[in-house]
Structure formats: C-alpha cells, structure tokens
Amino acid sequence: MTLKERAANLKRDIPAVFLALKSKKTPLFAKILAAVTVAYALSPIDLIPDFIPVLGYLDDVLLLPGLVALTLRLIPQEVLAECREKAQGMWQGGRPKKWYYALPILIFWCLVLLVILKGIF
C-alpha cells in the first residue's frame, strides 16, 4: 500500500472511529481509545511541536496512524463496517459537511487558554 493510499484510509478511518465512539456496540476500552484518538487527531496541540525539525512531524506520521490502527483492532468488525459506511457521508470535498463538529475541541482549548491566562494574571 502506498503512502497516498494510507493517508486516504486514515482520512476515512478517523470519522469512522468517531462514529464508533458513539455506538453502543463498541466495547468500553475501544471507546476510551477512540476518544483519545479523535481528540488527538483534531487537537491543534501535538505531543511533539511541529517546529522541531524532523521530530515534530514524526508524531503525526507515526503516533496518529498507530492510534487509529490500534483503535480499529478493538472495534468489532460489523460496527466498524457500519461506521465506515456512515463516515463516507460526513465528508464533502475533503472537508467535514458540518462545521460544528469542531466546536467541542475549540471550546476545550479556549478553556485551557483561559486557565493558563488566569494563572499568569
């Protein structure tokens, strides 16, 4: 599988992991790992900042696909197939159809920023 195909699969699988997170058929540990995976994928903050040469992008290249792969192994196959099918309808032209999916992440990071600013001042 080429790198381009893997990137396309990753783009398809992250929304499927998000949908599996909401499924009642997904085991608890898989839900926890799915929540971590989706939060990390959508988070503007990386484990290793991107401005660090070479290492900054390694977490995006290794950690995120690893988290997605591990999460996919823990989700039952029938749930995963159903979520992948639903996930195809979430994207339009390479972007999410609904902009408000990003609101929880935005609110979280605004709260973190508020706490930091409150601590400084």
Side-chain angles (χ1 to χ4, degrees), residues 8-9 11-17 19 80-97:
N9 286 345
K11 192 175 183 180
R12 176 199 68 196
D13 286 338
I14 290 174
V17 167
L19 292 173
L80 183 58
E82 180 182 307
C83 292
R84 280 180 172 159
E85 185 178 315
K86 287 181 185 177
Q88 288 177 350
M90 292 176 64
W91 293 93
Q92 180 178 7
R95 292 188 160 157
K97 283 184 179 179

Side-chain angles (χ1 to χ4, degrees), residues 11 14-16 18-22 35 38-44 83 86-92 94-109:
K11 192 175 183 180
I14 290 174
F18 171 72
L19 292 173
L21 173 65
K22 299 187 316 182
V38 170
Y40 189 77
L42 296 177
S43 174
C83 292
K86 287 181 185 177
Q88 288 177 350
M90 292 176 64
W91 293 93
Q92 180 178 7
R95 292 188 160 157
K97 283 184 179 179
K98 298 178 182 173
W99 60 271
Y100 53 82
Y101 286 144
L103 282 180
I105 301 298
L106 181 63
I107 291 169
F108 172 78
W109 287 114

Side-chain angles (χ1 to χ4, degrees), residues 28-92:
L28 179 62
F29 186 69
K31 283 185 178 191
I32 293 168
L33 192 56
V36 169
T37 302
V38 170
Y40 189 77
L42 296 177
S43 174
I45 307 296
D46 286 341
L47 188 61
I48 303 170
D50 289 341
F51 65 83
I52 298 174
V54 181
L55 292 177
Y57 290 104
L58 274 180
D59 67 334
D60 294 331
V61 172
L62 298 176
L63 185 62
L64 185 58
L67 280 171
V68 171
L70 181 60
T71 305
L72 293 177
R73 288 180 186 241
L74 296 174
I75 298 170
Q77 289 301 313
E78 63 275 359
V79 174
L80 183 58
E82 180 182 307
C83 292
R84 280 180 172 159
E85 185 178 315
K86 287 181 185 177
Q88 288 177 350
M90 292 176 64
W91 293 93
Q92 180 178 7

